Amino acid sequence: MYLPFITVVGLLAVFTVALGAPINQTVGISWNEVTEGSLKLNELAKRLITEELSHLKNVERVVKGPRVLVEATDKCDPKNLRADSMPCLKKMVFALKNYSTVFGIISQFKNNCAKTGKMVNTVVKKLLLDLKEPHPHSEEKWQEVKSWEEPGLCRDNIEKLFSFSILMARVFAPGDPAKHIMDSPKYCI
């Protein structure tokens, strides 16, 4: 009786690996909403790059606060997303929380960037909720921002957001990262 059980479990493991079934996947996420939100964030970032940066192009960038970099070790490439998308999803959520904090601060500025901060924060918070992230705010603590730093900080973060939004749109455009397939017309490369 013990041998058939081991055989069945072994066959299930072989079929699971052979079919490339994803592991450690999040449950209950509406991937259509996440896809739509990531594309909306990318469109907003593209618009901000062309419209907002036109009046900030001569402003020196101010780099302040923590940076979130998506690196190769975060496994956001198609092969790793198919095998185990959790490392990439965790990094994306961490980055979105960081942008929620950053653009939350920017939305309190007393210049043109305040409107930008509010627009970005609205899209980012919705994305975090779509990703079933219960706490949309980062725990990062920021130093006080001086008024002369505001335009440079705004410029720096719009540029970073644009780069991040491209990666995010590529990762989530096909929907659930665990189900990326080679013959999908939206396959991430």
Side-chain angles (χ1 to χ4, degrees), residues 18-56:
L19 295 174
I23 57 172
N24 296 327
Q25 298 309 312
T26 53
V27 179
I29 292 178
S30 171
W31 291 107
N32 290 336
E33 295 287 324
V34 173
T35 297
E36 185 180 308
S38 65
L39 294 174
K40 185 175 181 178
L41 182 64
N42 181 247
E43 287 299 316
L44 175 60
K46 275 193 263 188
R47 190 169 54 79
L48 292 174
I49 279 287
T50 56
E51 294 173 9
E52 293 298 317
L53 286 188
S54 65
H55 70 273
L56 293 172

Side-chain angles (χ1 to χ4, degrees), residues 20-144:
I23 57 172
N24 296 327
Q25 298 309 312
T26 53
V27 179
I29 292 178
S30 171
W31 291 107
N32 290 336
E33 295 287 324
V34 173
T35 297
E36 185 180 308
S38 65
L39 294 174
K40 185 175 181 178
L41 182 64
N42 181 247
E43 287 299 316
L44 175 60
K46 275 193 263 188
R47 190 169 54 79
L48 292 174
I49 279 287
T50 56
E51 294 173 9
E52 293 298 317
L53 286 188
S54 65
H55 70 273
L56 293 172
K57 64 182 174 187
N58 295 325
V59 172
E60 188 172 326
R61 293 174 68 197
V62 173
V63 179
K64 193 171 193 163
R67 287 189 175 259
V68 177
L69 301 173
V70 179
E71 302 170 304
T73 56
D74 297 317
K75 301 180 179 182
C76 288
D77 60 281
K79 181 181 176 187
N80 282 309
L81 284 170
R82 178 80 177 118
D84 181 9
S85 62
M86 289 309 290
C88 181
L89 288 176
K90 285 179 183 177
K91 183 52 97 77
M92 294 290 186
V93 165
F94 183 68
L96 286 168
K97 283 182 170 186
N98 186 58
Y99 284 117
S100 176
T101 300
V102 169
F103 283 97
I105 291 167
I106 289 172
S107 71
Q108 297 171 21
F109 288 174
K110 293 176 178 35
N111 62 22
N112 294 345
C113 289
K115 182 179 170 188
T116 298
K118 289 175 185 162
M119 286 188 302
V120 171
N121 227 11
T122 300
V123 174
V124 168
K125 284 182 178 181
K126 170 120 175 46
L127 258 170
L128 284 167
L129 291 174
D130 290 342
L131 286 165
K132 303 294 184 208
E133 180 55 43
H135 306 289
H137 297 288
S138 171
E139 300 301 318
E140 302 292 342
K141 302 292 181 215
W142 274 57
Q143 303 166 7
E144 183 181 333

